[in-house]
Amino acid sequence: MRYTYLLINLLTVFFPVVLSFDKRVQFHKNWKFIWPGMTITGLFFLFWDVLFTIKGVWSFNPSYIIGIKFFGLPIEEILFFLTVPFACIFIYACLNYYVKWLMPFRLTSIISSLVIMLSILMLIFYHARLYTAVTFSLLLVLVLLIQYVFKAEWLNRYYLAYFVALLPFYIVNGILTSIPIVLYNNAENLGKRVGTIPFEDHFYLMGLLLMNIGFFEYFKQRKLSK
């Protein structure tokens, strides 16, 4: 039981690592573009994670972790910010290779506008709930910047990858929250769940992937432009 969270991390990343050497997608050639952005994003989210753990926004069930901690975070939680983004960027790369259909930019703009409006509403009505407020504040800033300031051409492909990534998200997060391995303080979130998964987790994932894929595209394009 103590290895449960560690095993979830290993299974999350196992197939993406093995399939990275597929001759068609050749995802392993893109690994060098992943690490810088994953490091920056990971440090940002880990800082957030440490503060939330201290504030009691969430906690970790000691029965399902091996007990090694850094700054109060289980080693498994730290690995989460490597395994999950890696697996999701792998999904993004595979979709870019195999799916030739591109989401129309008008639809991309509509989705961004809906996310922005939802974020604003959450901040107006639930600003006192820490997890809700921080999650939607970050998402609001990210979507505004990437959609309207940077006008990223890859945003339509990101949204497609996000929707596909929700399937493994429901499996992994469903296990984490149903056992439960991660315990949430409902005083700091909406108290609304999809199954056992907090509503905010869907948008936490959206922000996490948006930062990782944004940096991935930035470092890849910078290399290609040289």
Side-chain angles (χ1 to χ4, degrees), residues 27-37 216 219 223:
F27 184 59
H28 69 282
K29 292 184 177 180
N30 287 316
W31 283 6
K32 58 182 175 291
F33 305 125
I34 295 175
W35 307 126
F216 171 68
F219 286 111
K223 177 69 175 178

Side-chain angles (χ1 to χ4, degrees), residues 75-87:
I75 185 67
E76 297 91 338
E77 179 73 355
I78 296 170
L79 290 174
F80 177 90
F81 294 104
L82 296 175
T83 60
V84 170
F86 184 91

Side-chain angles (χ1 to χ4, degrees), residues 2-14:
R2 291 177 61 236
Y3 294 95
T4 304
Y5 196 0
L6 182 62
L7 182 61
I8 290 169
N9 271 303
L10 293 176
L11 290 176
T12 297
V13 81
F14 176 75

Side-chain angles (χ1 to χ4, degrees), residues 144-158:
L144 282 171
L145 283 174
I146 293 172
Q147 175 72 62
Y148 298 108
V149 178
F150 300 131
K151 298 179 181 178
E153 294 183 358
W154 49 264
L155 194 58
N156 55 349
R157 292 180 281 117
Y158 156 78

Side-chain angles (χ1 to χ4, degrees), residues 84-98:
V84 170
F86 184 91
C88 290
I89 296 174
F90 173 75
I91 290 172
Y92 175 76
C94 287
L95 289 172
N96 288 346
Y97 182 85
Y98 288 109

Side-chain angles (χ1 to χ4, degrees), residues 15-31 90 93-94 97-98:
F15 289 106
V17 169
V18 172
L19 296 174
S20 290
F21 299 93
D22 173 77
K23 291 183 179 180
R24 287 165 292 186
V25 179
Q26 298 185 356
F27 184 59
H28 69 282
K29 292 184 177 180
N30 287 316
W31 283 6
F90 173 75
C94 287
Y97 182 85
Y98 288 109

